Amino acid sequence: NIFMIEKKKTELYQELGLQARDLRFQHVMSIATRNNRIIMRMEFLKAVITPEFLLILDYRNLSLEHWLLNELASQLAGEGQLVTYSLPFEFRAIEAILQYWISKLQGRLNTLQPQILETLEALVDPKLLSVDRSKLHILLQNGKSLSELETDLKVFKETILEILDEEEVIEELCLSKWTDPQVFEESTSGIDHAEEMELLLENYYRQAEDLLNEARELRVLIDDSESIIFINLDSHRNVMMRLNLQLTMGTFSVSLFGLIGVAFGMNLESSLEEDPRIFWLMTGIMFLGSGLIWRRLLSFLGRHLDPPLPPHVPAVLKKSQPAAGRVEIKTGLKGETFGLSRSTLTNQ
C-alpha cells in the first residue's frame, strides 16, 4: 500500500524516535542505523526504513512519482533482482532503493557512451585537416559528465564497502531479527540474515564496480583519442611546414640565378646584347641552374628530415637454430676474426 502523508518535521522525527539531524537533507551518500531505524541517503533520495514501512521524504520535488507508483510496489512484494521474498521487509526496501540508484547510474552511462563514441569517431578521422570545435565542445561536456559519474560510482562503492567491512553494522541492518522473536528463532535455526544482507550489498557493490570499469574504459578511450588527434594535427602541420620549406628553397634558387638577368637588365654597354641567341642562352642557364640548386637543396632536406632506415639484421640471427649450431657459429666467427687480425698485423 502506497500513500502520501504531510507532517511537520518535528512531529515526524518524534514519531519515528529519531533526532532532527537524522532527517536533515544532505547531498551525501550513507546508510546508517539509529533506534531500530535504517536511514538511507542517496544524494537527493532520502528514506527511512522500519520493519513495517518505507518512508520516502519529499518525493514530489525529486520526480520520483514514476518509480513510486509503477516499480516500488512490485519490488517490495519480492519481484526485485534478488530472491528476497522469504526475507523480512527491510531487505526488500533496501534492495528497492539500491536497485533504483544503480539503475539511475546505469542510465547515465548508457546515455553518455554512444555520444562519446560518436564524437570520438568524428574527431579521429585521419582525412580531416582540422578539428571541428563544436565536436570538441561536446566532448568536453561529455567528459565532465563522465567524471561526475565516476565520482558518484566511487562514492556508492565506498559507502557499501564501509558497511561490508563492519559486521556489527550488517547485524544492525537486520531489523526484524531483533524486533520479531519468531524471525529470530528462524534465523537461529538455519537462516542467517546477516549473511543474506551481506550478499545483497555485495551484489550491488559488484554492479557498481562493473559500471565503474566501463566508465574507466571510456575515459581511457577519450585519452587515447586525444593523443591520436594531436598526432594527426602534428602530422598535417609537419606536411605544411615541409611544403613551405620546399617553396622557400625554390624561391631562393630562382632568385639566386635571377641575378644574371638583373645584371643584364642594367643599361650596361657590352657586345653580348647584340647577339639574339644570348637571351635564350642566359634564360636557359638561369632555369637550369635554379633547377639544379633546388634539387640539391631537396636532397639535403630529405637526408636530414627523413627517418633513418632500421639497422640490417643478419640472416643468421633471424633464424632460430639449436644451441649447438649457435655455438659453432660463434666459434667460427671468432676464428675468422682472429685470423683477420693476424693477417693484418703481418701485412703491417
Side-chain angles (χ1 to χ4, degrees), residues 113-226:
Q113 188 171 10
Q115 296 178 0
I116 292 176
L117 294 178
E118 182 181 359
T119 306
L120 292 179
E121 185 178 359
L123 289 175
V124 184
D125 191 358
K127 298 180 182 179
L128 297 177
L129 298 179
S130 61
V131 179
D132 190 0
R133 292 187 177 181
S134 61
K135 296 292 184 181
L136 288 178
H137 183 67
I138 295 174
L139 182 62
L140 179 60
Q141 292 180 344
N142 292 334
K144 292 181 179 179
S145 302
L146 184 61
S147 300
E148 295 176 357
L149 178 59
E150 290 178 355
T151 303
D152 293 340
L153 287 170
K154 290 178 182 179
V155 173
F156 183 79
K157 281 181 53 182
E158 293 174 357
T159 302
I160 297 180
L161 186 61
E162 290 177 358
I163 301 176
L164 292 175
D165 292 338
E166 298 292 338
E167 297 182 359
E168 296 180 356
V169 178
I170 296 178
E171 292 283 349
E172 293 176 357
L173 293 177
C174 305
L175 303 179
S176 300
K177 183 177 180 180
W178 310 106
T179 57
D180 192 350
Q182 183 179 359
V183 173
F184 182 75
E185 291 177 0
E186 291 178 356
S187 64
T188 56
S189 62
I191 302 176
D192 192 350
H193 287 178
E195 292 183 0
E196 293 291 338
M197 180 64 70
E198 184 176 358
L199 291 175
L200 173 67
L201 296 176
E202 186 178 358
N203 175 66
Y204 287 97
Y205 176 83
R206 290 179 179 176
Q207 292 187 33
E209 187 175 7
D210 294 338
L211 292 179
L212 184 58
N213 291 334
E214 294 181 10
R216 287 172 178 170
E217 290 178 359
L218 279 179
R219 174 63 60 187
V220 172
L221 186 61
I222 291 176
D223 296 338
D224 294 341
S225 301
E226 289 179 353

Side-chain angles (χ1 to χ4, degrees), residues 84-125:
T84 57
Y85 55 85
S86 61
L87 295 175
F89 176 79
E90 65 268 15
F91 283 77
R92 300 193 291 269
I94 292 176
E95 182 184 15
I97 295 177
L98 293 180
Q99 178 64 31
Y100 170 78
W101 192 252
I102 204 73
S103 300
K104 293 281 291 183
L105 297 176
Q106 179 72 52
R108 290 169 58 185
L109 181 61
N110 293 338
T111 303
L112 285 174
Q113 188 171 10
Q115 296 178 0
I116 292 176
L117 294 178
E118 182 181 359
T119 306
L120 292 179
E121 185 178 359
L123 289 175
V124 184
D125 191 358

Side-chain angles (χ1 to χ4, degrees), residues 197-260:
M197 180 64 70
E198 184 176 358
L199 291 175
L200 173 67
L201 296 176
E202 186 178 358
N203 175 66
Y204 287 97
Y205 176 83
R206 290 179 179 176
Q207 292 187 33
E209 187 175 7
D210 294 338
L211 292 179
L212 184 58
N213 291 334
E214 294 181 10
R216 287 172 178 170
E217 290 178 359
L218 279 179
R219 174 63 60 187
V220 172
L221 186 61
I222 291 176
D223 296 338
D224 294 341
S225 301
E226 289 179 353
S227 301
I228 294 175
I229 292 172
F230 292 147
I231 290 174
N232 290 335
L233 292 178
D234 291 339
S235 177
H236 293 304
R237 189 182 300 110
N238 292 336
V239 170
M240 298 302 296
M241 292 177 63
R242 183 163 184 166
L243 178 61
N244 186 21
L245 184 59
Q246 290 176 353
L247 293 177
T248 303
M249 290 187 299
T251 305
F252 171 75
S253 303
V254 174
S255 301
L256 181 63
F257 276 84
L259 295 176
I260 301 177

Side-chain angles (χ1 to χ4, degrees), residues 277-313:
R277 295 173 298 179
I278 292 298
F279 172 77
W280 300 108
L281 178 62
M282 291 295 107
T283 304
I285 292 175
M286 289 169 56
F287 280 102
L288 181 60
S290 301
L292 291 176
I293 291 181
W294 189 37
R295 184 64 180 174
R296 293 297 300 273
L297 291 175
L298 289 179
S299 62
F300 175 80
L301 178 65
R303 287 195 305 269
H304 288 78
L305 294 184
D306 290 340
L309 296 175
H312 178 68
V313 180

